C-alpha cells in the first residue's frame, strides 16, 4: 500500500526538477530586483548616504506642503537656508505664470555648482511641493533630500569640469507650473545640456529609468558606463505614455531637451495619499536615487558627453543590474535573423516529420484562443472582486493587489498546465466543456456576458474540440507558440522597437530546445541533460516576464488584470514543454497544488478585508461658506458619512446641490449647516469696465481676505468667447468647462495683496462670476473636532469660501 500510495503522491523526477527549477529562477529574479543596500551615515563623506539624506526628511516631509500653504513656505525656507550653509548662493525665482488655464505665484529654488572648464551644464531636478493630502516623503521629498545629499557629497570631491544646476521647482503637482516658468523665463534654461529628474509613484522599489528624450542612444551609453546599479527598460516609455501622469521633465522634453527621468513605484497605493510618509519610505530607494545621481554627476560632470545622438536605444536589465543596450537601427536586422532561424528550425521539424504543418497551424490558433481565455477569465475575476468592494472600498483591494497578482499568476499557470496537457493528449468532450462553462459562468457573474462573447466562446470551444481530439506530437503545440512569438517579435520590431527585446531574446533562447528536439531522436526528451537545458534556456522569460507583470500592474492597476495575465500567458506559452514534463505522468498533482495555492492567495487577499494603521481608509470633510446665503456648511463628496465624518455631517445629513459651490454639477451631496462662524469673503473691486473696438474689457482686483492656497474662477458668458489676462501676462483665450457655457481657471498661491485680472468678451452680455477661495491646509483652526482614528487618513480636507457676482452688460458706444 505504501509503494502504491507513494507512486500516486510523488511526481516523477523530471516533474520535480522542472518545478523546483522554475520556482527558483522566478524567486531569484524577483529577489534580484530589489534596490541596493543603504550606505550608513558614518560612511566616508565622499560617498552618497541615504541615511544622511534622510536626516532632512523631518523638515521636508513632516506634513503636506502644497503650493500656497505655510508648510510650503517653510520647506522653501529650509532648502534655501541649507544651501546657504553649504556655501552656495540659492536663487529664489519668484514669478507669476499662466499656463493651460492655471495661474500661480511661484517660488522656484535654484543653485549652481560652477565647473572649472567652459563645458556643459547638467540640471538635476526634483520638485518640493506636494499634493494636499500627502506629506510627500517619497513624492517628492526623496528627490529633494537626494539632491541636498548630492551637493554635500560633491563638496568632498575635486571640482568638476562641467556646471551642475540644482533645480527645486514649485507647483509641479498643480500642472508642472514651476518647470514651465523656468523654461519660459530663466536665462539658465538655455544653457542646459542634460536634465536628470527624480520622482516617485510609491514608497519603495528600484529607482527605474523610465523615460528619456528622443535620440537617446549616446546618453544611454553614458548612463550604462556611469552608474553602478543601472535599472531601466525601454518598454517603460510605452507604459508611461499610457498613464495619466506627468513630470516636470515633460516640459523639457517638449522643447527637445535630452534627459534621464527616474522614479520608484513600489507600494504604489501610497502615491498621493497620507501613506506617503517618512515611516513608509524605503531608504534603499533613496539610496538607489542617489547612486544614479551621484554617478551621473561625477561621470558626466567631467566628460564632454553628447546628449543628442542620431538614434534611439533599446535598453534593459539582463540579470539584476546587468544592463544591455543597442540602437533601434539594429532591431530590423536582429528581427529578420531570428525570424529566419525560427523558420529554418520549424521547416526542419516538418521535414523530419516531427511537426505536421496543419497541426502547427492548429497549435498557433490554440495558443491565441488560450490567451483570449486568460484575458476573459481574469478580467472577469477582477470585475467580480471589484463588485464586492465597490466605490471607495476598492482601495482595500489596491492595498492587497500584490498578493492578488501572485494568486492570479498561480491560477494562470495551473490553467495553462491543464489546457496544454489536454491539447497534447487529445481533448475529451468533458474537459473542453468544463473550460467553456468556467469562462461563461465567470463572464456572467462579472456582468460581461453578451451575445457576441457567448457566440465567440461557443465557436472557440467547438473548434478546439474539432482540431484537437487526437493527440499531438510534443513539439507541435510549442512550435505554434513560437510562431505566435515570432509574429509578435516582428510586429514590435518594426513598430515598437523599444518593446521588441521582450520577444526577441526569450524567443531566441526558446528556439534552442526546439532545435535540439528536431535534430535529435525523440528519446532525447526523456534525458536529464535535456531537462536542465530546458531550464537554462527558459531563464530570460522566467526572469523578465514576472518582473514585467509586476511593473505593469503597479503602473496600470489591478483593473488591467486581464492584460497582466495575458502577459503571463505569453510566458507560459514558451514553457509548454516544461508544463508537459510537469504534468504528463500525474496531470493533476502539481498543477492541482499550484491551483489551490493560487485560490488560497486570492481568497485571503479579497475576503474579510478591513482597514488598519498601515492600510488606512480615506475620507474627507469640506467646510464651505456660501457668502450669498450667509451660511456655512459641512460637505462631503462621499455618498454617505462614515464613523469620523458623522461628527460634522450628523447621522442623517441633509442633501444640498453641489452646484451651489461648483457650477454644472447636478448631483446632491451630504451636508449639514454649521453653527461656527462664516469664513471671510474675498474682496472684488472693479478697476475698469470699458468697450473698445467691439470688445468689452472688465478689469478686477481680487483679494482673498483669509489664508488661501488657490482660487477657482467659474465664468458664465452665454456661450460667447472669453479671454483672460492675469496681471501683466499675455492675454489667453479660455476653454469652456465641461463643454458648456461656463469657463474655468484656477490661480494657485495668490499673494496677500490679491491679483489683477482682465476679462475680454463681446459687449452687450452679462458676465457671471462664481468664485471659490480654497485653503488646502484642512479644517479651519477655530473649529474644534475629534481627530481621525489611526486607521483613517485625509483625502481632500479643505475650506471653501464661495461667492457669486454679476457684472451687468454694457452696450457698445458709437464710434468705437
Amino acid at each position: 500500500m505504501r509503494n502504491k500510495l507513494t507512486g500516486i503522491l510523488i511526481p516523477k523526477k523530471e516533474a520535480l526538477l522542472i518545478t523546483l527549477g522554475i520556482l527558483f529562477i522566478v524567486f531569484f529574479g524577483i529577489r534580484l530586483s530589489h534596490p541596493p543596500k543603504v550606505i550608513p551615515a558614518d560612511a566616508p563623506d565622499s560617498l552618497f548616504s541615504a541615511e544622511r539624506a534622510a536626516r532632512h526628511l523631518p523638515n521636508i516631509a513632516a506634513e503636506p506642503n502644497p503650493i500656497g500653504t505655510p508648510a510650503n513656505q517653510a520647506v522653501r525656507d529650509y532648502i534655501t537656508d541649507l544651501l546657504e550653509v553649504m556655501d552656495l548662493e540659492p536663487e529664489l525665482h519668484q514669478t507669476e505664470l499662466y499656463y493651460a488655464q492655471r495661474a500661480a505665484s511661484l517660488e522656484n529654488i535654484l543653485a549652481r555648482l560652477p565647473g572649472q572648464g567652459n563645458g556643459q551644464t547638467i540640471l538635476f531636478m526634483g520638485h518640493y511641493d506636494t499634493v494636499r493630502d500627502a506629506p510627500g516623503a517619497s513624492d517628492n521629498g526623496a528627490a529633494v533630500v537626494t539632491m541636498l545629499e548630492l551637493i554635500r557629497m560633491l563638496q568632498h570631491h575635486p571640482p568638476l569640469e562641467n556646471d551642475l544646476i540644482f533645480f527645486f521647482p514649485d507647483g509641479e503637482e498643480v500642472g508642472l507650473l514651476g518647470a514651465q516658468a523656468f523654461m519660459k523665463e530663466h536665462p539658465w534654461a538655455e544653457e542646459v545640456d542634460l536634465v536628470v529628474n527624480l520622482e516617485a509613484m510609491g514608497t519603495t522599489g528600484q529607482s527605474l529609468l523610465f523615460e528619456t528624450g528622443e535620440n537617446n542612444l549616446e546618453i544611454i551609453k553614458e548612463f550604462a558606463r556611469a552608474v553602478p546599479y543601472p535599472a531601466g527598460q525601454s518598454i517603460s516609455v510605452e507604459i508611461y505614455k499610457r498613464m495619466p501622469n506627468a513630470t516636470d521633465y515633460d516640459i523639457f522634453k517638449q522643447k527637445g531637451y535630452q534627459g534621464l527621468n527616474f522614479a520608484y513605484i513600489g507600494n504604489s497605493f501610497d502615491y498621493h495619499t497620507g501613506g506617503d510618509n517618512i515611516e513608509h519610505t524605503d531608504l534603499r530607494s533613496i539610496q538607489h536615487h542617489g547612486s544614479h545621481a551621484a554617478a551621473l554627476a561625477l561621470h558626466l560632470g567631467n566628460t564632454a558627453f553628447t546628449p543628442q545622438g542620431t538614434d534611439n536605444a533599446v535598453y534593459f536589465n539582463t540579470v539584476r543590474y546587468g544592463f544591455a543596450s543597442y540602437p533601434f537601427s539594429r532591431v530590423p536586422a536582429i528581427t529578420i535573423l531570428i525570424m529566419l532561424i525560427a523558420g529554418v528550425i520549424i521547416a526542419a521539424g516538418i521535414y523530419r516529420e516531427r511537426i505536421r504543418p496543419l497541426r502547427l497551424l492548429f497549435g498557433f490558433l490554440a495558443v491565441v484562443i488560450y490567451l483570449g481565455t486568460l484575458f476573459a477569465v481574469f478580467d472577469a475575476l477582477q470585475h467580480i472582486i471589484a463588485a464586492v468592494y465597490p466605490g471607495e472600498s476598492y482601495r482595500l483591494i489596491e492595498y492587497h493587489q500584490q498578493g492578488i497578482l501572485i494568486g492570479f499568476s498561480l491560477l494562470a499557470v495551473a490553467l495553462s498546465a491543464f489546457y496544454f496537457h489536454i491539447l497534447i493528449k487529445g481533448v475529451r468532450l468533458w474537459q473542453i466543456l468544463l473550460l467553456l462553462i468556467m469562462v461563461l459562468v465567470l463572464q456572467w457573474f462579472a456582468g460581461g456576458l453578451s451575445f457576441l462573447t457567448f457566440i465567440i466562446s461557443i465557436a472557440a470551444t467547438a473548434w478546439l474540440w474539432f482540431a484537437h481530439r487526437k493527440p499531438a506530437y510534443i513539439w507541435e503545440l510549442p512550435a505554434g507558440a513560437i510562431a505566435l512569438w515570432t509574429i509578435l517579435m516582428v510586429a514590435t520590431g518594426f513598430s515598437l522597437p523599444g518593446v521588441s527585446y521582450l520577444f526577441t531574446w526569450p524567443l531566441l533562447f526558446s528556439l534552442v530546445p526546439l532545435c535540439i528536439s528536431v535534430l535529435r531522436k525523440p528519446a532525447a526528451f526523456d534525458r536529464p541533460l535535456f531537462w536542465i537545458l530546458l531550464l537554462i534556456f527558459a531563464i530570460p522569460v522566467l526572469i523578465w516576464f514576472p518582473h514585467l507583470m509586476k511593473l505593469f500592474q503597479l503602473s496600470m492597476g489591478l483593473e488591467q488584470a486581464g492584460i497582466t495575465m495575458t502577459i503571463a500567458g505569453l510566458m507560459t506559452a514558451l514553457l509548454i514543454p516544461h508544463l508537459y514534463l510537469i504534468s504528463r505522468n500525474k496531470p493533476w498533482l502539481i498543477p492541482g497544488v499550484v491551483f489551490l495555492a493560487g485560490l488560497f492567495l486570492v481568497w485571503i487577499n479579497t475576503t474579510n478585508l478591513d482597514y488598519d494603521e498601515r492600510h488606512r481608509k480615506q475620507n474627507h470633510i469640506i467646510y464651505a461658506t456660501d457668502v450669498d446665503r450667509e451660511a456655512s456648511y459641512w460637505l462631503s463628496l462621499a455618498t454617505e458619512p462614515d464613523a469620523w465624518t458623522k461628527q460634522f455631517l450628523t447621522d442623517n445629513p441633509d442633501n444640498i446641490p453641489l452646484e451651489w459651490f461648483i457650477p454644472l454639477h447636478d448631483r446632491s451631496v451630504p451636508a449639514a449647516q454649521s453653527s461656527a462662524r462664516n469664513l471671510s469673503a474675498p474682496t472684488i473691486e472693479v478697476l475698469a469696465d470699458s468697450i473698445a473696438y467691439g470688445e468689452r474689457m472688465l478689469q478686477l482686483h481680487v483679494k482673498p481676505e483669509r489664508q488661501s492656497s488657490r482660487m477657482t474662477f467659474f465664468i458664465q458668458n452665454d456661450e460667447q468667447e472669453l479671454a483672460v489676462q492675469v496681471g501683466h501676462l499675455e492675454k489667453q483665450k479660455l476653454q469652456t468647462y465641461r463643454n458648456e457655457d461656463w469657463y474655468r481657471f484656477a490661480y494657485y498661491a495668490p499673494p496677500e495683496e490679491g491679483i489683477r485680472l482682465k476679462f475680454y468678451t463681446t459687449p452687450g452680455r452679462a458676465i457671471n462670476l462664481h468664485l471659490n477661495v480654497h485653503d488646502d491646509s484642512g479644517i479651519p483652526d477655530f473649529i474644534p473636532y475629534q481627530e481621525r482614528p489611526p486607521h483613517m487618513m485625509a483625502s481632500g480636507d479643505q475650506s471653501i469660501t464661495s461667492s457669486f457676482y454679476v457684472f451687468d452688460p454694457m452696450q457698445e458706444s458709437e464710434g468705437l
Side-chain angles (χ1 to χ4, degrees):
M1 180 59 116
R2 176 188 294 179
N3 291 339
K4 184 177 180 180
L5 191 61
T6 301
I8 294 174
L9 295 180
I10 299 180
K12 296 290 186 179
K13 57 184 178 181
E14 67 268 25
L16 278 175
L17 174 65
I18 297 295
T19 302
L20 295 175
I22 289 174
L23 290 174
F24 174 78
I25 294 170
V26 171
F27 178 78
F28 182 73
I30 292 174
R31 289 292 300 173
L32 291 182
S33 64
H34 289 172
K37 293 181 179 179
V38 174
I39 293 179
D42 58 0
D45 289 335
S46 59
L47 297 178
F48 182 97
S49 165
E51 278 192 4
R52 278 193 290 251
R55 290 174 177 175
H56 302 297
L57 282 177
N59 297 290
I60 290 171
E63 61 179 321
N65 64 291
I67 181 174
T69 61
N72 182 266
Q73 297 172 13
V75 172
R76 175 205 65 199
D77 293 342
Y78 179 81
I79 295 171
T80 53
D81 291 347
L82 190 60
L83 292 173
E84 289 177 353
V85 169
M86 291 191 288
D87 296 325
L88 295 182
E89 298 179 2
E91 176 186 337
L92 202 59
H93 175 217
Q94 296 177 307
T95 186
E96 188 175 50
L97 177 79
Y98 180 90
Y99 172 70
Q101 312 226 146
R102 301 180 183 195
S105 292
L106 298 160
E107 294 182 309
N108 293 330
I109 305 170
L110 291 144
R112 190 165 190 145
L113 201 60
Q116 299 301 298
N118 295 318
Q120 295 162 295
T121 301
I122 307 166
L123 182 139
F124 289 87
M125 178 168 61
H127 68 88
Y128 72 91
D129 65 307
T130 71
V131 294
R132 64 188 177 189
D133 300 312
S138 283
D139 180 24
N140 204 20
V144 172
V145 301
T146 294
M147 291 165 62
L148 295 173
E149 169 65 5
L150 175 61
I151 295 170
R152 184 213 60 78
M153 185 205 81
L154 291 173
Q155 292 177 333
H156 293 275
H157 284 264
L160 304 174
E161 290 295 313
N162 296 328
D163 286 10
L164 302 185
I165 296 174
F166 298 92
F167 179 31
F168 304 83
D170 193 12
E172 191 269 356
E173 297 289 6
V174 296
L176 319 179
L177 299 184
Q180 180 69 25
F182 174 79
M183 287 292 296
K184 185 176 181 180
E185 300 175 2
H186 204 283
W188 288 359
E190 298 180 359
E191 303 175 31
V192 174
D193 295 288
L194 178 70
V195 178
V196 178
N197 187 51
L198 302 174
E199 267 286 0
M201 203 188 81
T203 53
T204 188
Q206 289 179 309
S207 176
L208 302 170
L209 174 61
F210 69 93
E211 185 187 26
T212 69
E214 290 297 317
N215 297 319
N216 63 4
L217 179 61
E218 297 303 322
I219 205 63
I220 289 294
K221 289 180 180 178
E222 296 292 350
F223 168 73
R225 292 188 191 106
V227 300
Y229 309 111
Q233 303 181 57
S234 50
I235 190 179
S236 300
V237 177
E238 298 301 327
I239 295 176
Y240 178 64
K241 286 179 182 177
R242 289 154 178 80
M243 294 173 62
N245 304 78
T247 71
D248 282 321
Y249 176 60
D250 287 37
I251 303 299
F252 289 83
K253 188 175 181 179
Q254 291 167 10
K255 301 292 184 180
Y257 283 70
Q258 188 56 266
L260 299 169
N261 209 356
F262 298 96
Y264 54 89
I265 63 173
N267 287 352
S268 55
F269 53 75
D270 286 326
Y271 178 59
H272 281 185
T273 74
D276 182 4
N277 55 35
I278 297 173
E279 178 186 359
H280 300 151
T281 294
D282 191 343
L283 291 189
R284 296 177 302 168
S285 300
I286 296 179
Q287 186 67 50
H288 205 185
H289 259 353
S291 73
H292 285 150
L296 289 168
L298 293 173
H299 176 71
L300 297 179
N302 288 309
T303 302
F305 60 92
T306 303
Q308 297 290 355
T310 58
D311 200 354
N312 279 305
V314 179
Y315 59 91
F316 52 90
N317 286 101
T318 52
V319 177
R320 189 158 173 77
Y321 293 111
F323 195 79
S325 66
Y326 51 88
F328 275 19
S329 57
R330 292 184 188 172
V331 172
I334 295 172
T335 299
I336 293 171
L337 177 61
I338 296 177
M339 180 180 66
L340 291 174
I341 293 172
V344 169
I345 294 174
I346 291 175
I350 294 172
Y351 175 76
R352 294 174 64 87
E353 298 182 348
R354 305 287 171 79
I355 301 171
R356 292 167 290 182
L358 186 60
R359 299 293 270 183
L360 170 65
L361 175 62
F362 285 177
F364 169 82
L365 294 175
V367 174
V368 172
I369 292 173
Y370 156 69
L371 295 178
T373 301
L374 281 182
F375 178 85
V377 166
F378 290 100
D379 183 66
L381 280 175
Q382 185 275 324
H383 280 90
I384 292 169
I385 293 169
V388 177
Y389 295 91
E392 297 174 1
S393 63
Y394 189 75
R395 186 160 186 82
L396 286 166
I397 296 299
E398 293 176 339
Y399 283 139
H400 295 84
Q401 66 173 313
Q402 183 169 338
I404 297 172
L405 173 63
I406 297 173
F408 276 7
S409 301
L410 293 176
L411 291 177
V413 170
L415 182 61
S416 303
F418 170 77
Y419 182 88
F420 293 128
H421 177 81
I422 65 174
L423 261 60
I424 292 173
K425 292 293 187 179
V427 174
R428 296 181 182 178
L429 184 59
W430 70 268
Q431 294 170 331
I432 203 68
L433 287 178
L434 179 65
L435 192 63
L436 173 64
I437 292 169
M438 178 188 69
V439 172
L440 293 179
V441 168
L442 288 174
Q443 288 284 310
W444 181 73
F445 271 106
L449 183 61
S450 64
F451 179 75
L452 179 61
T453 55
F454 179 79
I455 293 299
I456 291 174
S457 300
I458 295 293
T461 303
W463 182 86
L464 287 172
W465 166 244
F466 170 79
H468 291 275
R469 286 177 297 170
K470 296 180 180 180
Y473 297 158
I474 179 55
W475 282 103
E476 288 176 334
L477 199 58
I482 283 174
L484 175 62
W485 269 72
T486 303
I487 292 172
L488 293 173
M489 177 191 67
V490 173
T492 56
F494 287 96
S495 62
L496 297 171
V499 180
S500 62
Y501 72 94
L502 283 168
F503 299 101
T504 301
W505 305 113
L507 173 62
L508 179 62
F509 274 62
S510 295
L511 288 172
V512 175
L514 176 61
C515 181
I516 293 173
S517 295
V518 165
L519 298 177
R520 302 278 296 181
K521 296 180 179 180
F525 199 84
D526 290 316
R527 295 178 181 176
L529 179 60
F530 186 74
W531 308 336
I532 295 173
L533 288 175
L534 278 178
L535 284 173
I536 291 174
F537 288 104
I539 287 176
V541 74
L542 287 172
I543 285 184
W544 290 355
F545 270 66
H547 182 68
L548 172 64
M549 291 161 57
K550 180 180 178 181
L551 176 67
F552 184 84
Q553 184 155 318
L554 286 173
S555 303
M556 307 303 291
L558 193 65
E559 294 87 348
Q560 304 300 327
I563 298 177
T564 306
M565 290 303 107
T566 303
I567 296 172
L570 286 170
M571 176 183 72
T572 54
L574 281 190
L575 302 176
I576 294 174
H578 307 70
L579 296 176
Y580 170 73
L581 283 171
I582 289 171
S583 62
R584 66 172 176 173
N585 292 309
K586 294 179 176 57
W588 57 269
L589 183 57
I590 294 178
V593 171
V594 172
F595 178 82
L596 292 175
L599 202 61
F600 174 75
L601 283 174
V602 173
W603 177 262
I604 65 172
N605 283 285
T606 58
T607 57
N608 300 319
L609 302 183
D610 206 352
Y611 298 101
D612 54 38
E613 293 187 25
R614 177 62 184 95
H615 308 108
R616 292 184 286 169
K617 173 183 172 60
Q618 291 182 314
N619 57 18
H620 69 276
I621 196 69
I622 302 171
Y623 188 73
T625 293
D626 187 321
V627 173
D628 302 296
R629 291 179 173 82
E630 298 182 347
S632 294
Y633 301 87
W634 294 107
L635 307 176
S636 174
L637 302 183
T639 55
E640 58 184 24
D642 61 23
W644 183 78
T645 57
K646 281 181 180 179
Q647 66 178 303
F648 309 102
L649 299 172
T650 72
D651 291 332
N652 297 297
D654 297 323
N655 285 290
I656 65 172
L658 185 57
E659 65 179 357
W660 287 7
F661 301 95
I662 305 177
L664 297 179
H665 281 268
D666 57 2
R667 58 176 285 204
S668 295
V669 295
Q673 189 165 348
S674 172
S675 59
R677 65 178 172 86
N678 294 337
L679 300 171
S680 300
T683 300
I684 295 187
E685 179 185 1
V686 178
L687 301 178
D689 195 354
S690 61
I691 297 176
Y693 304 104
E695 185 177 55
R696 180 186 181 186
M697 187 276 289
L698 173 65
Q699 184 178 12
L700 304 176
H701 176 232
V702 183
K703 180 182 179 183
E705 296 295 340
R706 65 187 186 95
Q707 167 64 38
S708 171
S709 52
R710 59 191 166 104
M711 297 190 293
T712 307
F713 297 82
F714 299 91
I715 309 102
Q716 189 179 40
N717 194 39
D718 297 334
E719 301 182 1
Q720 300 297 307
E721 288 191 358
L722 184 70
V724 65
Q725 183 177 2
V726 180
H728 299 289
L729 301 176
E730 296 180 359
K731 181 170 68 172
Q732 302 279 347
K733 183 180 177 181
L734 287 174
Q735 301 296 320
T736 53
Y737 174 67
R738 295 181 179 268
N739 298 317
E740 297 288 347
D741 59 342
W742 284 86
Y743 298 83
R744 176 187 180 275
F745 81 95
Y747 193 106
Y748 293 86
E752 290 184 8
E753 65 272 17
I755 61 174
R756 293 180 180 238
L757 301 172
K758 292 180 181 179
F759 294 105
Y760 297 87
T761 187
T762 304
R765 296 181 183 272
I767 297 177
N768 300 321
L769 172 63
H770 188 124
L771 172 60
N772 287 339
V773 178
H774 305 256
D775 181 3
D776 289 330
S777 298
I779 300 171
D781 294 337
F782 61 82
I783 299 178
Y785 63 93
Q786 184 178 355
E787 295 287 345
R788 285 179 173 85
H791 69 281
M792 292 184 179
M793 61 182 171
S795 177
D797 289 354
Q798 60 178 299
S799 60
I800 300 175
T801 304
S802 186
S803 50
F804 186 78
Y805 308 87
V806 178
F807 301 95
D808 291 328
M810 294 184 64
Q811 300 300 322
E812 185 173 3
S813 302
E814 293 184 3
L816 294 179

